[in-house]
Amino acid sequence: MYSFGETDVYDQVENPEGSFLRKFQRFLTNMFGFAPPVFHGRGIFNYMFGIIPYRRPINTVVGKPIPVKQNPCPTEKEISKLHEEYKTQLEKLFNEYKSKFGVSKDQKLEIS
């Protein structure tokens, strides 16, 4: 399953290198192991700033099921194999539908 437009419902506050926000986020990362992103959407009575998502379309596409053999104690190798299969199928799904939902044909799905 992949949802096109999901990243468009909020805007992230810019945090260029050297800015106070970037330094603060690095501090949080060093202290806690992660830094929460600073984002905003629209307000209830205004459209400029708030925590409500913007009214933008989200289109979800669903691929074929990935068969999984039940195993109460899977090995790391089995988990890695299924994870790779999931990533492969997700990339196929993205590439199949990206042009339909306004994504450039040159855009690649980045999975980290």
Side-chain angles (χ1 to χ4, degrees):
M1 177 172 31
Y2 186 86
S3 294
F4 291 90
E6 198 170 37
T7 57
D8 299 331
V9 297
Y10 287 101
D11 289 330
Q12 186 170 343
V13 175
E14 291 188 30
N15 59 348
E17 201 64 48
S19 68
F20 173 76
L21 179 56
R22 178 66 68 99
K23 290 175 186 173
F24 184 64
Q25 286 181 317
R26 281 221 175 93
F27 170 76
L28 290 175
T29 301
N30 291 335
M31 290 292 289
F32 304 110
F34 75 98
V38 180
F39 62 91
H40 67 88
R42 65 183 179 89
I44 295 173
F45 300 111
N46 68 54
Y47 207 75
M48 299 305 293
F49 190 82
I51 60 169
I52 297 173
Y54 290 113
R55 292 178 179 145
R56 297 180 181 151
I58 298 175
N59 298 287
T60 301
V61 293
V62 179
K64 64 180 183 168
I66 298 172
V68 178
K69 182 181 173 191
Q70 285 288 354
N71 182 351
C73 300
T75 64
E76 286 294 323
K77 185 177 179 182
E78 291 171 324
I79 293 170
S80 292
K81 183 179 175 189
L82 276 172
H83 187 231
E84 289 304 314
E85 177 65 18
Y86 171 75
K87 292 191 304 187
T88 300
Q89 293 302 322
L90 192 61
E91 286 175 355
K92 284 168 102 174
L93 195 62
F94 177 81
N95 290 329
E96 182 179 345
Y97 288 96
K98 65 183 175 183
S99 61
K100 182 176 181 178
F101 298 112
V103 177
S104 165
K105 68 177 183 169
D106 300 328
Q107 180 75 36
K108 301 235 185 287
L109 182 63
E110 294 181 34
I111 302 174
S112 52

